[in-house]
Amino acid sequence: MVQRPGVPTAPELVLETDTGSTPMSPGRTYHVGRDPLCEICFEDARVSWHHALLRPDGDHWTVEDEDSTNGTWADGHRVHEWSVGAGSELRFGDAQDGPRAVLTAPAPSPGPAPAPSPGPAPAPAPGPGAAAAGPARVSNPSMTTTFRRPSAVLPLPARTAVRIGRATDNDLVIDELDVSRRHAELRALPDGGYEIADLGSHNGTYLNGSRVVGAAPLAEGDLVGIGHLVFCLVGDRLQEYEDTGEVTLDVQGLTVAVDRGRKILLDQVSFPVGAKCLLAVIGPSGAGKSTLLGALTGLRPADRGTVLYDGRDLYRDYAELRSRIGLVPQDDILHSQLTVRRALTYAAELRFPQDTARPERQRRVDEVIGELGLEERAAQPIHSLSGGQRKRVSVALELLTKPSLLFLDEPTSGLDPGMDRSVMHMLRGLADDGRTVIVVTHSVLSLDVCDRLLVLAPGGRIAYYGPPAETLGFFGASQWPEAFEAFENQRDRDWAGEYAASTAHRTYVRGGARQPWHGGRHGAAGAAAGADSVPPPPKAQSWGSQLSTLVRRYAAALAADRTFLAIMIALPFVMGAMARALAGGRLTQETAINALLILSVGAVLTGAANAVRELVKERVIYRRERAVGLSRSAYLMSKVVVLGAVTVAQAVVLTLVALYGVDLNAPGGHGVIMNPLLEITIAVALLAFTAMMLGLLVSALVRKEEVTMPLLVLLAIVQVVFCGALLQLDGVPVIEQLAWLVPSRWALGAMAGTIDLGAIVPGTLADDPLFAHTPGVWLLNLGMLVVLSVLFGVLVARLLRRHEPAIMRK
């Protein structure tokens, strides 16, 4: 802190209470009360919610009672304002046995080393409870929850390595499911230094926020992150710091612009969020609420500004910290056809390390089901639950990995007032249990359960931040509609400027900040730049294990969808019966083309209808799972495997219903290479599979599920027009080349070649080079179907990337 020459400042002090000590810096004010956001928090009922202030006053400190119910005592006197210093004793709520606090001078810093003496005595090692100033990469550790003091100080044994992991035979056991059984080793080097080595853990070992690949040298003061624990090497000891969930969040100067800076979505947004706080973010449409959510979660980092996660730069250390952030989007993020327990079980398989045993995962699933009161709903399909219960299931999914920060986007959207209040009270309980919860909402029905309210004005600027009870009074309104109408009707009003000059801003933003206040300029030179190099999230499972889980989950979801099953079973029989009616008992000049055309259309409709909705309807699920380590290729392959198996089976049924027992009139009763019915079945199956891949491509392209059915009809029409059964395509410029991209063109060619359609149906239409009854042409037709399938798959994979969080695309 820079001081002006000649201006006296209050001394640094330490406030000692029964629960711990709080270093007091003269650069800020300290709040005392039952509010969990207070720096000095007491749970005694005699202490008021906001009881007193301890503030620097010139060259000394002053305690100021905030009109508390039961009073503040300093050195035995009930006071309203009183000068205090080292040695002062304070009591809150009762003069005799109220919560006690004593002010002391901080321990002196070590001076310069004394001159060596002939008989040196070894310095005593610090005891297990020795506290430290905290890691250097943490901004003001004493003002954080995690880094205020070590949870343990571990002496390093005189051996070559300390093995760390979840298994009980490790030297350092971390009983967390996101820690692998054999996770990491801390190794002593011959030169007296140390290195940290990752042992192939699934969720990673992190050094100063970056994932360790192999081994990395460890310097004094470095942070090693494993699960929810952080270790700091100090001498020959490890200081252990535990992220219990009670973390603070300091937001300073967040700015987001688009259109090359011409449009500002967030403008210098700064506010503090205390531990165990429930914060609601509201504002008119277009005020930047969703943009703020992306910036706070790190999924869309701000262009300028800083987010401090309990003293650590979220963007710089995002690779490590993102696993401690839970996000519940507005739409449900679970497959609604599955039961609650089954959906959470599959999610646990994807999120926990591969070496986690099934009983371990199931215990955690049972824990979150119990925590959210879902025991009686565990066996119900999710789609049969009420809106509020479905939201609880989405929250339960995020709680599996015990996040410290939980964000929710419009959790009460579409709910009735009773459900709205139920969901908000659930969030209140989650915060009280030791999490920081931030909810973006349009509803103002239950804001009273929140600790703090952030109101964003148009243009992404703060119009108010503070207790919800004071909000309407600040705006001079009696009801919320009046306040929102003011935003609409007074667009030129400087809402942010008025708030910045207000007492509320001084009290709740500047006075409430856990970190030094920088007036919204902290990190303005590009603190988000570190996010540009963030690697993809670690995959908790191998690619093959993810694929296995995804295939089983997707197959279970489809099997539970009775409407899909009915259509899937009926469609090939209906289309096959139509083709059978046209084919009669023998393929002739009158029936052959029509029968093959119906087979082509049936295969296209079957394959495309299976897939055309499957990606767009799961887009929210995919985006969230991708952000926590889902493999894009494993996800796509699970669709290909399950839908491909279903589609090929349908194509076989379609062909057999249509042509089994029919005289195919092939030359000599033989196909090009094998049995003619088998050849046609292969061609129809490949066409249906390729159409399925085309359906996935359409599903990846569209933004809304409602437009898929019209596009399905359009696809069927294109297949009919460009297959070669109705129009002559050979030798027609442009049209012939466009037809190369139409799967039915090649499938019809293969089927026509099998029966030698040119011999059955004389004329120019059947005189197509792709209809030739030769092995080379037949294999070319099938090969082009394979090529088109691969092409569509590559395009789908690239399109999936568009729908991933911005941080994943950097």
Side-chain angles (χ1 to χ4, degrees):
M1 178 174 174
V2 178
Q3 309 292 347
R4 296 197 309 272
V7 178
T9 59
E12 292 187 358
L13 295 176
V14 177
L15 185 78
E16 301 283 354
T17 67
D18 292 340
T19 58
S21 60
T22 302
M24 294 172 53
S25 167
R28 58 174 303 179
T29 296
Y30 295 83
H31 301 76
V32 182
R34 289 204 330 276
D35 186 347
L37 296 177
C38 291
E39 288 80 3
I40 300 100
C41 181
F42 296 108
E43 297 183 357
D44 194 299
R46 294 170 295 180
V47 177
S48 297
W49 191 251
H50 295 137
H51 194 104
L53 297 175
L54 279 162
R55 53 179 172 81
D57 192 358
D59 61 353
H60 63 278
W61 287 85
T62 293
V63 60
E64 178 182 346
D65 187 81
E66 289 197 286
D67 297 323
S68 64
T69 302
N70 296 315
T72 301
W73 279 262
D75 302 320
H77 304 281
R78 181 163 184 170
V79 299
H80 178 68
E81 284 191 33
W82 192 262
S83 295
V84 292
S88 294
E89 178 183 351
L90 305 175
R91 285 196 181 269
F92 306 96
D94 189 277
Q96 301 301 321
D97 61 352
R100 176 176 177 266
V102 176
L103 292 168
T104 63
S109 301
S117 61
R137 286 177 60 88
V138 177
S139 177
N140 287 308
S142 64
M143 297 182 185
T144 70
T145 303
T146 303
F147 297 97
R148 183 177 299 173
R149 61 175 57 189
S151 53
V153 178
L154 312 170
L156 293 176
R159 53 195 297 181
T160 58
V162 175
R163 193 172 58 200
I164 305 170
R166 195 174 79 250
T168 55
D169 60 348
N170 286 289
D171 302 305
L172 180 55
V173 178
I174 303 178
D175 188 18
E176 295 181 11
L177 290 187
D178 54 352
V179 175
S180 296
R181 292 184 179 276
R182 302 283 184 270
H183 198 103
E185 275 188 350
L186 179 64
R187 299 167 179 167
L189 300 176
D191 62 0
Y194 293 89
E195 70 174 10
I196 184 71
D198 185 80
L199 301 181
S201 67
H202 290 285
N203 286 332
T205 302
Y206 297 88
L207 178 60
N208 296 326
S210 298
R211 187 168 187 177
V212 174
V213 179
L218 187 62
E220 182 132 346
D222 283 347
L223 299 182
V224 176
I226 298 177
H228 283 67
L229 293 180
V230 174
F231 300 95
C232 183
L233 180 65
V234 179
D236 61 350
R237 294 172 180 267
L238 273 184
Q239 293 180 348
E240 176 190 283
Y241 299 92
E242 183 178 5
D243 184 342
T244 62
E246 297 184 19
V247 299
T248 61
L249 197 70
D250 277 273
V251 181
Q252 297 190 356
L254 292 190
T255 299
V256 175
V258 294
D259 296 336
R260 297 183 179 180
R262 288 190 292 267
K263 183 177 181 182
I264 303 297
L265 301 182
L266 285 182
D267 189 2
Q268 295 290 310
V269 172
S270 303
F271 58 90
V273 186
K276 301 173 68 173
C277 175
L278 175 56
L279 166 67
V281 181
I282 66 171
S285 298
K289 299 186 296 295
S290 296
T291 304
L292 177 63
L293 195 65
L296 296 181
T297 57
L299 295 177
R300 197 297 186 193
D303 301 317
R304 303 174 70 191
T306 302
V307 180
L308 292 178
Y309 174 103
D310 218 29
R312 297 180 66 182
D313 190 319
L314 176 65
Y315 295 159
R316 183 191 64 200
D317 297 347
Y318 185 69
E320 175 187 350
L321 297 178
R322 63 180 152 201
S323 64
R324 307 183 198 178
I325 298 174
L327 172 62
V328 181
Q330 181 174 346
D331 299 320
D332 293 331
I333 50 177
L334 289 163
H335 291 82
S336 61
Q337 302 91 344
L338 301 178
T339 65
V340 171
R341 185 181 301 281
R342 198 170 190 182
L344 292 176
T345 299
Y346 283 127
E349 282 190 45
L350 288 173
R351 296 198 178 194
F352 288 133
Q354 194 168 334
D355 61 7
T356 307
R358 179 179 296 179
E360 291 178 299
R361 291 195 302 266
Q362 201 56 56
R363 277 196 298 272
R364 182 57 190 153
V365 169
D366 292 338
E367 286 174 6
V368 297
I369 286 176
E371 184 175 359
L372 292 172
L374 293 167
E375 296 95 336
E376 296 181 1
R377 305 283 190 268
Q380 279 187 239
I382 295 172
H383 67 77
S384 68
L385 301 177
S386 66
Q389 294 291 349
R390 287 200 302 273
K391 192 57 63 178
R392 284 178 180 264
V393 178
S394 293
V395 172
L397 182 149
E398 291 300 312
L399 294 187
L400 285 172
T401 53
K402 299 183 178 180
S404 301
L405 273 176
L406 183 62
F407 294 87
L408 300 99
D409 189 8
E410 300 286 355
T412 61
S413 177
L415 302 184
D416 61 55
M419 286 292 182
D420 181 300
R421 190 154 188 84
S422 174
V423 169
M424 292 301 291
H425 276 277
M426 172 192 70
L427 301 182
R428 174 72 270 168
L430 292 176
D432 290 341
D433 287 342
R435 299 177 188 88
T436 300
V437 182
I438 299 177
V439 53
V440 173
T441 181
H442 276 106
S443 174
V444 296
L445 297 177
S446 304
L447 297 179
D448 57 303
V449 305
C450 299
D451 299 301
R452 291 289 185 266
L453 178 62
L454 172 65
V455 182
L456 289 177
R461 306 187 71 189
I462 294 183
Y464 174 80
Y465 179 82
E470 301 176 17
T471 311
L472 287 177
F474 177 82
F475 289 123
S478 58
Q479 296 180 338
W480 279 107
E482 293 180 38
F484 279 92
E485 286 176 2
F487 287 131
E488 180 67 26
N489 299 330
Q490 304 176 39
R491 291 183 173 272
D492 296 332
R493 184 172 172 181
D494 185 8
W495 298 98
E498 293 179 17
Y499 178 69
S502 68
T503 302
H505 181 271
R506 291 193 297 273
T507 303
Y508 302 118
V509 176
R510 298 192 64 172
R514 293 292 182 125
Q515 304 296 332
W517 177 251
H518 296 273
R521 295 185 299 275
H522 189 67
D532 292 339
S533 58
V534 173
K539 297 177 177 62
Q541 296 183 323
S542 66
W543 188 89
S545 183
Q546 278 199 8
L547 177 61
S548 172
T549 300
L550 291 168
V551 166
R552 288 184 286 109
R553 182 180 71 176
Y554 188 40
L558 290 182
D561 189 340
R562 296 182 179 179
T563 302
F564 176 83
L565 284 177
I567 295 174
M568 180 183 69
I569 293 171
L571 186 58
F573 283 98
V574 172
M575 298 301 296
M578 293 172 60
R580 182 70 176 236
L582 289 172
R586 177 182 172 85
L587 294 184
T588 65
Q589 180 176 349
E590 290 76 22
T591 63
I593 291 182
N594 290 336
L596 297 185
L597 176 62
I598 292 298
L599 277 178
S600 297
V601 173
V604 168
L605 282 176
T606 298
N610 286 344
V612 77
R613 296 183 305 119
E614 294 308 299
L615 297 182
V616 64
K617 77 178 184 181
E618 291 186 0
R619 188 154 294 159
V620 175
I621 298 175
Y622 171 73
R623 184 181 293 119
R624 181 62 193 136
E625 291 186 339
R626 180 76 176 117
V628 295
L630 179 70
S631 165
R632 183 193 307 145
S633 58
Y635 175 78
L636 177 56
M637 187 56 67
S638 71
K639 300 296 182 187
V640 173
V641 169
V642 176
L643 290 177
V646 170
T647 299
V648 168
Q650 289 175 300
V652 171
V653 171
L654 167 64
T655 309
L656 293 180
V657 170
L659 298 181
Y660 186 77
V662 174
D663 183 359
L664 300 180
N665 203 9
H670 301 288
V672 176
I673 297 176
M674 58 192 83
N675 179 276
L677 180 59
L678 180 57
E679 286 187 5
I680 292 178
T681 302
I682 292 173
V684 173
L686 261 178
L687 173 59
F689 184 88
T690 307
M692 179 209 75
M693 297 300 295
L694 182 57
L696 288 177
L697 178 60
V698 171
S699 192
L701 274 170
V702 300
R703 295 185 178 275
K704 295 183 179 180
E705 189 176 344
E706 293 80 6
V707 304
T708 56
M709 289 301 106
L711 288 175
L712 178 62
V713 174
L714 178 61
L715 280 179
I717 294 174
V718 169
Q719 303 301 318
V720 171
V721 172
F722 287 93
C723 69
L726 302 179
L727 300 174
Q728 183 177 351
L729 301 175
D730 180 49
V732 181
V734 181
I735 299 298
E736 181 182 12
Q737 286 70 41
L738 288 175
W740 293 348
L741 298 174
V742 177
S744 62
R745 168 73 167 141
W746 305 99
L748 185 69
M751 290 187 286
T754 293
I755 65 173
D756 196 4
L757 185 66
I760 299 175
V761 183
T764 57
L765 187 62
D767 188 20
D768 191 312
L770 294 182
F771 294 175
H773 184 72
T774 63
V777 173
W778 189 78
L779 291 174
L780 171 65
N781 286 319
L782 295 188
M784 285 303 299
L785 287 174
V786 173
V787 169
L788 288 176
S789 295
V790 173
L791 174 63
F792 295 153
V794 171
L795 292 175
V796 172
R798 293 192 65 84
L799 288 170
L800 279 175
R801 185 173 178 272
R802 295 192 317 164
H803 304 297
E804 296 171 1
I807 192 69
M808 304 291 296
R809 301 197 299 269
K810 288 186 179 292

